[in-house]
Every structure is written in C-alpha cells, then in structure tokens.
C-alpha cells in the first residue's frame, strides 16, 4: 500500500493564515485603544497650546480688554493751556489799567517788566486776560507786547485755544508769537511771527513791555509767563527784577 506525501504547503498556508488573522486582531486592539485615548490626547495638546498662547499673549489681551472696558477720556480742546497749567507760573502784571488816551502811549498806562533768568528754559507760554469795561476786546482794541524790543499788536485769531471767559484770553508759545507791527489792528491783516525763545537763556536779563492800545479805559487783568526747565537745568528759575 503506497502512502501519499504530507501536504506541507497546505500546513504552511494554514499557519500563515492564522498569523495574519492574529495580527489583524492585535492591530485592531491597538487601534481601538488608540481611538479610546484620542480625545484625551487631543484635549491635552489643546490645553498645552492654549496655555502657551496665554502666557505669550496675556498682557496684550488684558491691555486690549481694559481699553474696551474702561471709559475713554476725550482729548482736551485746550492742549497747550492744559500743559501750561502744569508749568511754573510767573505773574508779570495783575489788575492794571492800561489804555492809550488820544492814541498816545503814556508811561503810567504801560508796563515794563525786567526778568532775570537762571538756567535753561525748555518751553514757555505768555498768557493774557484783558477787557474793556466788563467786555472782551473789540476790533478797536489790541494788546501790544514786546520782549527785548521784538513784537507788536498781538494777533488774537492765532491765539492758542483757551477756555472762554467774560474777557479776552490769549495764549502764545514764546517761540511763535503772531503780531501786527503797526496800526491799525485788523484781523484781516496778515501777521508776522516773533520768536522770543532766544531771549530765554542762562543769565539773560529780559525786558517785557505791554499795554492795551485803546481809546477807552481798559484793564490787563492778568499777564503771566508759564515756563518749564530744560532737563539738564532742572533748577532753572525766572524772577522779576523790577516792574514799572
């Protein structure tokens, strides 16, 4: 009786099939576990990224939120006037009757102030309040002012903005003072600019002349200088030497 050879190829195929099926089940188990862990892993990654972004951007986000939440202060319509109020105040003239009877400047109706400067001034403003009776100046009146013989009839339309009042209020930066060099005063004329800032220097004596050009009695309620020292001269000081 003859024997047939054992079908090794069939056994090999069977073993390979079992291994493939086992691999599939093992991989499926790993995939299932990975799928189970996926939400946790994504949450962890998102949390780590959010934490990193917050650390980097938190100051900016807080600043932007504060800007949106806090009420915004409107910008001032009087920036130079507000700035001047924080400077050193030097009164020059106060409550002085000044006018030009018959168009003539009389010594007792005009003021001359001599100032002495110690140190360097960074910025300065001239501030004036003037009136005729209880009313502001009209086109028939003007404030005449000079520093070291430079100046004239101050041009009111180019005054820096100031709060309104019952009198005329004028504010000028000393490095840009618009004026008319001669009469008649008219707001239709073109002014010239005076730069008084070179007069404000270390050890200088500064002469300031002022009066109201008016055929009616008028009053200089206030003439004042506001100034700020240069950073390298924090102890600068302007003082009045004499007033006539």
């Amino acid at each position: 009786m003859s024997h047939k050879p054992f079908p090794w190829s069939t056994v090999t195929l069977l073993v390979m099939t079992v291994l493939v099926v086992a691999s599939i089940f093992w991989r499926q188990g790993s995939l299932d576990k990975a799928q189970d862990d996926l939400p946790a892993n994504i949450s962890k990654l998102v949390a780590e990224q959010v934490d990193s972004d917050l650390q980097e951007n938190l100051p900016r986000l807080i600043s932007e939120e504060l800007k949106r939440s806090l009420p915004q202060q409107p910008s001032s319509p009087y920036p130079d006037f507000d700035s001047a109020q924080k400077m050193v105040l030097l009164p020059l003239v106060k409550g002085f009757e000044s006018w030009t009877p018959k168009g003539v400047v009389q010594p007792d109706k005009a003021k001359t102030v001599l100032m002495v400067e110690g140190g360097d001034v960074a910025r300065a403003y001239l501030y004036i309040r003037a009136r005729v009776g209880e009313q502001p100046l009209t086109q028939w009146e003007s404030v005449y002012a000079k520093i070291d013989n430079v100046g004239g009839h101050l041009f009111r339309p180019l005054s820096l903005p100031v709060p309104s009042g019952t009198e005329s209020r004028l504010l000028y930066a000393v490095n840009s003072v618009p004026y008319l060099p001669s009469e008649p005063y008219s707001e239709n004329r073109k002014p010239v600019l005076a730069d008084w800032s070179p007069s404000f220097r270390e050890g200088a004596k500064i002469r300031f002349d002022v009066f109201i050009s008016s055929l009616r009695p008028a009053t200089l309620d206030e003439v004042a200088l506001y100034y700020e020292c240069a950073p390298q001269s924090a102890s600068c000081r302007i003082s009045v030497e004499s007033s006539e």
Side-chain angles (χ1 to χ4, degrees):
M1 182 175 183
S2 61
H3 295 279
K4 293 183 180 180
F6 192 83
W8 290 104
S9 59
T10 302
V11 173
T12 302
L13 180 61
L14 180 61
V15 171
M16 291 181 65
T17 301
V18 171
L19 290 174
V20 168
V21 171
S23 174
I24 290 173
F25 276 100
W26 178 83
R27 293 175 62 187
Q28 182 64 42
S30 298
L31 182 59
D32 290 344
K33 185 177 186 306
Q35 289 177 339
D36 291 340
D37 293 341
L38 185 60
N41 290 335
I42 291 176
S43 297
K44 181 180 179 182
L45 289 173
V46 170
E48 290 175 350
Q49 184 62 44
V50 168
D51 184 61
S52 175
D53 290 344
L54 278 176
Q55 289 182 7
E56 180 179 350
N57 298 311
L58 189 58
R60 177 180 59 81
L61 294 173
I62 291 175
S63 176
E64 291 177 354
E65 184 60 30
L66 286 174
K67 288 180 181 179
R68 286 193 295 266
S69 303
L70 295 177
Q72 298 297 311
Q73 294 295 329
S75 58
S76 170
Y78 315 113
D80 286 277
F81 180 81
D82 293 342
S83 180
Q85 303 309 300
K86 302 173 185 176
M87 298 180 180
V88 180
L89 168 63
L90 179 66
L92 301 177
V93 179
K94 194 170 184 67
F96 179 68
E97 184 180 273
S98 176
W99 57 301
T100 50
K102 299 182 180 180
V104 177
V105 180
Q106 299 183 359
D108 62 338
K109 300 294 189 292
K111 272 285 187 182
T112 298
V113 180
L114 294 180
M115 295 175 281
V116 179
E117 180 173 340
D120 295 322
V121 169
R123 298 185 299 160
Y125 292 95
L126 180 68
Y127 179 61
I128 298 172
R129 293 190 298 115
R131 58 185 170 83
V132 175
E134 298 301 322
Q135 302 296 321
L137 304 183
T138 71
Q139 65 175 346
W140 300 101
E141 297 90 32
S142 62
V143 176
Y144 189 96
K146 294 195 299 185
I147 282 185
D148 291 342
N149 209 37
V150 176
H153 301 268
L154 299 179
F155 196 65
R156 294 198 294 272
L158 294 184
S159 164
L160 296 168
V162 295
S164 60
T166 57
E167 71 279 80
S168 292
R169 298 183 178 186
L170 309 174
L171 180 69
Y172 302 97
V174 297
N175 66 336
S176 182
V177 183
Y179 71 96
L180 299 176
S182 62
E183 293 182 312
Y185 178 83
S186 171
E187 296 182 356
N188 294 321
R189 296 177 61 189
K190 183 177 180 180
V192 296
L193 290 178
D195 182 1
W196 291 340
S197 60
S199 294
F200 294 85
R201 62 188 185 278
E202 173 72 36
K205 287 193 174 183
I206 305 165
R207 176 180 172 132
F208 174 67
D209 296 284
V210 63
F211 62 87
I212 296 178
S213 177
S214 170
L215 297 177
R216 300 181 293 165
T219 305
L220 285 168
D221 283 325
E222 180 184 9
V223 179
L225 186 74
Y226 289 89
Y227 68 92
E228 179 180 80
C229 298
Q232 70 274 13
S233 184
S235 61
C236 80
R237 183 171 180 271
I238 303 176
S239 57
V240 174
E241 184 179 72
S242 65
S243 178
E244 302 173 359

